[in-house]
Amino acid sequence: MIELVLTINDKDGSYTEHAGVVLASVFSNTQQTINVHIVHDTSLSEENKGKLSQLVDLFHHNIFFYHITIPGDMYEIASGVHKIDYWTIASMYRLLLPLFIQTDRVIYLDCDILVNMDINELWSIDLGERYLGAVLDQGQNLLEYFTSLGLCAELYFNSGVILFHLDNIRNKQTWYEEMLHFLRSYPTMTMPDQDVLNSVYSSNYLQMDQRFNTFAHAELELENKIVHFAGDNKWWDIDSPAAPLYAKFLAMTPWARELASEPVYEPEQANIPPEPPVSEIQPVVIQLPENPVVEAVAPAPQNISVKPHRWKRRRSLRLRIRRRLRLRKKRMIRAKYRSIKRLELIKRLHVKKKKALQMRMKKLGLVKKKSKHVMKKVPPKKSTYHLKRTS
């Protein structure tokens, strides 16, 4: 039984759809039964909960929902981290998995992930006594940033795909206090959850093969990989090379079914495994109503209209999906334009502050030494000023 966890913070109602597509990509490539753990806050609507349950039930897996809140001490400290509003406080959820996921191991996935391989290959990795398995981060020009946080650049891993050994973490009794200490010590960090995980666990983790978390780029071969769209260009963008795959997996979810007059995809029949015992996994399972209301249907007329050909129905669905993707692209362009404008404003303010600081330093007679970062006091030069009388 594979244990898989996703975290959801869905203020605008669209993020859960991406989580559903990630699950569809996992289910399409994996035959083994999966327990899906959804960690969420109040932003996950009942409608989207129901769609996630429908999707998991369609592929004959199990789903469990965890409505959690950040502990008071962590919330107070994390609120002081400068970048927490950019990533949202929900990014802290993955730090707390050992507290409420009562399994020995679990796979964590971000929702901008394409799983184009059998995830059982990742699940079968033996971690031994290590805390987790992860892939080295593929970001560039970050050495100075790592050094400022006291982190080792050669060990720094990406947190988008992680195989957690929760029992080993629970045996490390100080893991929670170490997280709080790091959050308190470095409020200027730019990747809070990832930096905290590296500070606590990078000394004892397994470096996995890069194909388990490959950063996406234009010429990337997608076969037999877990692809991470970690940048601004996501795989649901219409100009992404993985957009056809996103559309394919979206068609397997209830979010696409609501646009079509009939189900778009039906998986092959599989033997439904027995439900796990209550003692093993305690969260409540969200189930659909057992006795749906069925309306009476009038007898069919003599002249039965012929259904359109399958290719016509598929073409209609493709057109709807393209229309929807075009609208989403427009929203993304507008958001990107706003972010560019905001970045320009921040740069202008930064230049203004820098000039003001230089003026203050000039007035105080302080000059920064080039070779070493030491402040050198230079005595002011003697100069004579002649006041001219103006008439």
Side-chain angles (χ1 to χ4, degrees):
M1 189 85 70
I2 298 174
E3 308 290 342
L4 177 66
V5 62
L6 278 71
T7 60
I8 294 179
N9 174 262
D10 196 1
K11 292 182 179 179
D12 62 358
S14 63
Y15 193 76
T16 311
E17 175 186 313
H18 304 323
V21 177
V22 173
L23 291 176
S25 71
V26 174
F27 298 158
S28 300
N29 292 284
T30 306
Q31 296 299 321
Q32 192 169 343
T33 306
I34 300 173
N35 285 334
V36 179
H37 306 269
I38 301 295
V39 181
H40 65 93
D41 54 15
T42 54
S43 64
L44 179 61
S45 66
E46 291 299 322
E47 179 185 0
N48 280 331
K49 266 191 185 180
K51 289 179 180 179
L52 288 172
S53 299
Q54 291 175 40
L55 172 63
V56 174
D57 184 62
L58 179 66
F59 285 88
H60 310 297
H61 298 294
N62 307 305
I63 188 166
F64 307 93
F65 291 95
Y66 303 77
H67 181 192
I68 69 166
T69 54
I70 304 292
D73 51 356
M74 178 174 280
Y75 185 86
E76 182 180 357
I77 297 172
S79 299
V81 177
H82 298 173
K83 279 285 186 177
I84 201 66
D85 291 333
Y86 178 81
W87 298 107
T88 76
I89 197 72
S91 62
M92 299 287 104
Y93 292 167
R94 75 192 75 180
L95 308 182
L96 303 172
L97 298 182
L99 295 178
F100 52 87
I101 302 289
Q102 300 304 316
T103 61
D104 58 341
R105 302 194 313 156
V106 71
I107 295 174
Y108 168 82
L109 296 179
D110 274 348
C111 289
D112 55 356
I113 294 288
L114 160 63
V115 179
N116 207 27
M117 64 180 295
D118 188 344
I119 205 169
N120 190 47
E121 293 185 43
L122 172 58
W123 179 252
S124 302
I125 294 176
D126 182 16
L127 293 177
E129 298 300 318
R130 299 178 181 90
Y131 298 127
L132 56 87
V135 177
L136 287 175
D137 191 79
Q138 294 144 57
Q140 298 179 354
N141 303 323
L142 294 173
L143 179 60
E144 185 178 349
Y145 173 72
F146 297 148
T147 306
S148 68
L149 300 179
L151 301 175
C152 178
E154 296 178 355
L155 298 176
Y156 191 88
F157 59 83
N158 182 266
S159 64
V161 179
I162 297 181
L163 176 60
F164 283 104
H165 200 309
L166 299 180
D167 281 350
N168 290 347
I169 293 175
R170 285 187 277 259
N171 291 335
K172 180 183 174 67
Q173 298 180 356
T174 60
W175 66 272
Y176 185 74
E177 287 73 19
E178 288 180 28
M179 288 183 176
L180 296 183
H181 176 71
F182 189 82
L183 284 168
R184 191 184 296 111
S185 302
Y186 300 101
T188 57
M189 67 183 86
T190 59
M191 296 171 284
D193 57 293
Q194 186 166 284
D195 293 339
V196 170
L197 288 171
N198 274 274
S199 71
V200 180
Y201 303 124
S202 63
S203 61
N204 184 27
Y205 85 100
L206 176 67
Q207 290 185 14
M208 301 189 302
D209 190 278
Q210 187 172 314
R211 70 191 184 93
F212 292 113
N213 185 0
T214 303
F215 280 18
H217 54 82
E219 304 300 326
L220 178 66
E221 175 58 47
L222 302 176
E223 288 299 321
N224 198 32
K225 288 184 179 67
I226 297 177
V227 184
H228 189 181
F229 294 82
D232 294 333
N233 296 324
K234 303 300 183 183
W235 70 312
W236 51 79
D237 294 338
I238 195 167
D239 56 348
S240 168
L245 274 176
Y246 185 88
K248 169 190 170 183
F249 294 126
L250 176 64
M252 302 177 186
T253 70
W255 286 270
R257 268 190 203 83
E258 67 186 5
L259 301 177
S261 58
E262 61 180 39
V264 179
Y265 172 82
E266 290 294 339
E268 297 179 0
Q269 187 66 28
N271 295 326
I272 301 176
E275 295 184 358
V278 179
S279 59
E280 180 183 351
I281 298 178
Q282 297 181 357
V284 180
V285 182
I286 304 299
Q287 297 180 346
L288 297 176
E290 295 182 358
N291 299 318
V293 179
V294 181
E295 298 181 359
V297 181
Q302 294 293 331
N303 298 326
I304 301 175
S305 58
V306 180
K307 283 187 176 181
H309 290 292
R310 184 177 297 176
W311 69 268
K312 290 185 178 180
R313 297 198 300 271
R314 288 179 178 174
R315 181 174 179 273
S316 175
L317 175 62
R318 284 198 299 270
L319 290 174
R320 294 182 185 182
I321 292 176
R322 286 175 185 171
R323 212 171 292 127
R324 187 173 181 179
L325 290 174
R326 279 198 297 270
L327 290 173
R328 183 173 298 153
K329 185 180 179 182
K330 289 180 180 178
R331 288 196 294 269
M332 293 291 290
I333 291 173
R334 286 196 293 268
K336 189 173 181 181
Y337 175 78
R338 288 194 297 269
S339 65
I340 291 172
K341 290 295 181 184
R342 187 176 180 183
L343 183 61
E344 290 176 353
L345 176 61
I346 292 172
K347 286 181 178 179
R348 287 198 298 270
L349 292 175
H350 178 72
V351 171
K352 188 176 179 181
K353 288 181 180 178
K354 188 175 179 181
K355 287 182 178 178
L357 180 61
Q358 290 175 350
M359 291 297 295
R360 286 183 59 189
M361 291 174 64
K362 189 175 180 181
K363 288 180 180 178
L364 295 173
L366 297 176
V367 178
K368 187 179 288 187
K369 200 173 181 181
K370 291 185 178 179
S371 58
K372 297 182 181 178
H373 298 284
V374 210
M375 301 302 294
K376 180 182 177 182
K377 188 171 182 180
V378 179
K381 294 182 179 179
K382 291 184 178 181
S383 59
T384 57
Y385 297 91
H386 300 281
L387 299 176
K388 292 184 179 181
R389 189 172 180 179
T390 57
S391 57

